[in-house]
Amino acid sequence: MLFKNVTVVDGTGDDPYVAHVAVRDGMIAAIGPDASGGPAIDGAGLVLAPGFIDMHAHSDLRLLAEPGHLAKVSQGVTCEVLGQDGLSYAPVDDATLEQVRRQIAGWNGDPEGFDWNWRTVGEYLDRLDQGIAVNACYLVPQGSVRMLVTGWEDRPATEAETAEQRRLVAEAMEQGAVGMSSGLTYAPGMYAGTGELVALCEVVAALGGFYAPHHRSYGAGALAAYAEMVEVSRRSGCPLHLAHATMNFAVNKGRAGELLALLDEAIAGGCDLTLDTYPYLPGSTTLVSLLPGWASEGGPVRALARLRDPATAARIRHAMEVEGCDGCHGVPIDWDVIQISGTGTAALAGRAGTRVRDFEDFRRLLIDDDLATTILLHAGDEANVQAIMRHPAHTGGSDGLLAGARPHPRAWGTFPRYLARYVRELGVLSLQECVAHLTGRPARRLKLDRRGLVRPGYHADLVLFDPEAVHDTATFDDPRRPAEGISHVLVSGTPVIEHGHPTGALPGRALRRTPQGTTGRGR
C-alpha cells in the first residue's frame, strides 16, 4: 500500500511534513518523495499518524466475544491495554473466576455460553492470539491476585500470603504482562496497604514492568492518594503510570495545579511517571463500587446480605451520606450526580439514563440487579481536564466500558474527541502534540518494539484522518456511534478500516513483555 502526499504527524511531537509512505509486509517500508508501491491512496490534505494507543481499556471480554471491535478500530485505535483497575480474568482459579465474573459483569458483561478456557495470563494471551482487530497488552490485576491468595478479607496479607502474591505477579510478568494494575477503591484490592503494594511492585520493577494504579480517592483524599502512589514507586523503584488521573467532585474544582505540582516534584526527584486521562467530565463505574469498603468484605454474596439487612443498610447509608466513605471518595454522596448507564437484569433495562433517586433506590437496584448496575458519575471539572492533558507526562486512555444499554460515549469517542474538541476547536494542544500524547509517548511506556511512530522499519500501525473533519459522534444519549473523518486504520499493515468502513480483518495479537521489549509472538 502506498499513501501519497499525506501530511505525516509522526508521533514524536515534531512538525508535520508532506511525504509518500510505503507499507510492505506489515511494516513501513519507506517514507519520502520517492517512496513507491501499491495500491496507492491519494492522501492530499489528510494526516497519516501512528495508530492510537488506548492506555486504559476495559475490552478484556469484548475483544474475544466480538473480535472485530468496531468501537475502537473506528476511532483509530490499534493497541489497547487491558487488565485494568486491579480486576480481570487472569490469573484465576475456578472459584476466583466465578467471583470476578460476577463482580465486574457491569464493566464487561458476562456473555452466555462464553468459553472460559484459560486460567493463567499466558493462556489468556494465547486466546487473544487467535485473532482480534487490534493489538493488546495486559496488566496483571493486583485485586484478582489478592483474591486468589487472601480472599475478600479486609486485613493485611501475612508474610506467606505476600510471598505467594509476589510469585503470582512474577509468573504473570514472565508470561507476558507488561505491568500490574490496582483498583484501590474496589474490593478486595483496596484492602492492601502501602507496604504490600511496594512488595508487589518490587517484582514488577525487577521484570521491567510498570505500575498502573487506580488510587484510593479521586475526591476529598485525592492528593494524599496520589502521594501514596508516588511513595510506592519511590520505595519499590517501579515506574508509575497513573490511571485516569483526574481531580473530581466540587471539593477539587480548579485544583489540577496542585496535582501537577506534586507530580512535577516527583519527576524532578527521579520518579519515572506517566498518566492517562479521557477528554470528558463524567466518570463511569459500577454502582456497587460506591459502597464503603467494609460493606464489600467477604465478596458479593456477603455484600448483598448486608444490603438486605435493615440495620446494616442503615450503617451503610450513614457512611455514604454523612461520613463520605472510601467508596464515595471521601465525599458525602450526592445522588443527583449518579446516572444509571446499564443493568444486568433485562427487567431493569428501562432504568438506563435515569438518576439514582436516593439511598433506598440505590439499595433496591443493587439487590434486584445482583450488583451488576453501571453508572455515570457527573463529577468532573473542565478546567482540571484541560490542565492535566497539557502535562508532558500525559497519555490518552478511554476507560471505556462497552457493556450496558447506555455506556459512557468515551468507549467510542475518546480519540477523535481529543482531535476535534481539544486540538481543532479549543487549541488546548497542537495537532503534533496531541498525536504524540496518543501514540509515541504511550509506546515508550509500554516498551513497544518498533511501534508508536511513523518511521521506516516500524510496524505499520497507522491511522489516516481528515484533520478538519475528524470528530466523535457518540453522545450520552446515543453512545455507540463511530467517529467520522477517519479514512483508514491499519494494524500491522492490514486494513481494519478502509475508506471509512470496517473490513472484518483480525490482524491484532497479544503484545507480550520480553527482556528485549514488548512484542507479539512471531512478529
Side-chain angles (χ1 to χ4, degrees):
M1 185 176 291
L2 178 67
F3 294 97
K4 298 181 65 176
N5 303 310
V6 290
T7 299
V8 177
V9 180
D10 66 5
T12 65
D14 291 345
D15 289 341
Y17 61 92
V18 176
H20 301 340
V21 178
V23 173
R24 189 176 304 115
D25 297 327
M27 311 296 285
I28 299 172
I31 302 174
D34 299 324
S36 61
I41 296 166
D42 185 2
L46 303 182
V47 166
L48 186 71
F52 305 132
I53 298 172
D54 189 342
M55 286 296 289
H56 193 104
H58 287 283
S59 309
D60 307 47
L61 289 189
R62 189 58 58 96
L63 262 177
L64 299 175
E66 299 176 14
H69 208 31
L70 185 61
K72 293 301 174 68
V73 298
S74 64
Q75 54 180 308
V77 171
T78 59
C79 179
E80 50 184 4
V81 185
L82 313 176
Q84 299 286 353
D85 294 333
L87 290 166
S88 191
Y89 307 98
V92 292
D93 57 18
D94 290 354
T96 302
L97 175 61
E98 202 63 31
Q99 292 174 320
V100 172
R101 285 174 60 182
R102 187 173 186 179
Q103 184 180 12
I104 57 175
W107 289 359
N108 300 315
D110 192 14
E112 188 175 349
F114 186 79
D115 183 10
W116 301 87
N117 67 342
W118 72 83
R119 295 297 180 269
T120 69
V121 168
E123 291 167 349
Y124 175 72
L125 298 182
D126 288 344
R127 178 74 175 268
L128 294 175
D129 277 341
Q130 294 178 17
I132 49 181
V134 302
N135 293 316
C137 299
Y138 189 76
L139 298 164
V140 55
Q142 170 258 333
S144 298
V145 169
R146 197 176 208 272
M147 198 185 306
L148 262 174
V149 177
T150 309
W152 289 75
E153 296 182 46
D154 184 1
R155 61 169 176 81
T158 66
E159 185 175 334
E161 288 169 341
T162 300
E164 176 62 6
Q165 288 188 67
R166 284 168 58 96
R167 186 193 70 78
L168 288 170
V169 169
E171 182 177 78
M173 294 287 295
E174 288 162 355
Q175 292 172 358
V178 297
M180 183 180 77
S181 75
S182 284
L184 299 177
T185 63
Y186 302 123
M190 68 191 303
Y191 304 142
T194 305
E196 185 176 325
L197 298 174
V198 169
L200 299 184
C201 284
E202 288 172 346
V203 175
V204 176
L207 292 171
F210 65 93
Y211 180 41
H214 163 129
H215 51 276
R216 298 189 196 275
S217 175
Y218 291 83
L223 291 177
Y226 282 114
E228 182 195 12
M229 298 300 95
V230 170
E231 178 69 5
V232 169
S233 176
R234 186 191 66 79
R235 288 170 55 185
S236 65
C238 189
L240 178 64
H241 180 84
L242 296 167
H244 37 63
T246 59
M247 293 283 284
N248 286 339
F249 303 95
V251 68
N252 287 321
K253 185 176 178 63
R255 296 182 65 192
E258 296 174 58
L259 168 62
L260 298 178
L262 185 157
L263 302 185
D264 286 339
E265 182 180 358
I267 292 168
C271 183
D272 180 357
L273 185 153
T274 52
L275 55 92
D276 66 65
T277 70
Y278 46 82
Y280 296 85
L281 299 189
S284 180
T285 187
T286 54
L287 188 63
V288 68
S289 70
L290 303 180
L291 286 173
W294 60 262
S296 293
E297 185 180 10
V301 172
R302 290 180 64 184
L304 282 168
R306 292 184 182 103
L307 287 164
R308 289 188 176 103
D309 177 66
T312 309
R315 283 185 59 207
I316 293 171
R317 180 174 187 167
H318 186 269
M320 296 178 68
E321 294 186 343
V322 179
E323 296 173 358
C325 64
D326 47 6
C328 299
H329 300 270
V331 179
I333 196 81
D334 176 1
W335 297 112
D336 288 341
V337 306
I338 301 170
Q339 183 178 13
I340 299 162
S341 59
T343 61
T345 303
L348 295 170
R351 288 300 308 270
T354 68
R355 303 281 172 146
V356 176
R357 293 185 290 271
D358 52 26
F359 177 79
E360 190 56 31
D361 188 33
F362 164 84
R363 177 180 174 227
R364 290 307 328 164
L365 268 168
L366 288 178
I367 293 170
D368 294 345
D369 204 24
D370 197 31
L371 309 182
T373 309
T374 51
I375 59 170
L376 302 178
L377 196 61
H378 295 269
D381 175 65
E382 180 68 26
N384 286 347
V385 168
Q386 292 189 27
I388 293 168
M389 74 170 63
R390 291 188 183 100
H391 195 274
H394 171 265
T395 67
S398 71
D399 195 15
L401 304 181
L402 295 161
R406 290 175 60 172
H408 198 303
R410 65 194 184 189
W412 287 76
T414 288
F415 295 88
R417 183 173 175 83
Y418 268 117
L419 297 169
R421 177 167 174 76
Y422 292 98
V423 172
R424 188 175 65 239
E425 296 173 10
L426 299 180
V428 175
L429 296 168
S430 70
L431 178 59
Q432 58 266 34
E433 287 173 332
C434 186
V435 169
H437 286 221
L438 305 181
T439 62
R441 187 173 299 153
R444 288 196 301 275
R445 168 53 78 210
L446 296 168
K447 299 181 180 178
L448 296 185
D449 176 36
R450 295 170 295 158
R451 298 182 192 273
L453 301 176
V454 181
R455 283 186 177 169
Y458 272 55
H459 294 271
D461 298 341
L462 299 168
V463 56
L464 183 70
F465 62 90
D466 183 341
E468 298 302 320
V470 63
H471 72 283
D472 54 308
T473 68
T475 66
F476 289 98
D477 291 330
D478 191 1
R480 290 187 172 92
R481 296 179 62 188
E484 294 183 354
I486 294 177
S487 170
H488 287 71
V489 182
L490 275 64
V491 175
S492 297
T494 298
V496 292
I497 296 290
E498 195 165 27
H499 300 294
H501 300 288
T503 66
L506 302 176
R509 297 294 183 270
L511 300 182
R512 292 168 166 82
R513 183 208 62 84
T514 72
Q516 292 74 42
T518 304
T519 187
R521 280 185 175 168
R523 294 198 289 161

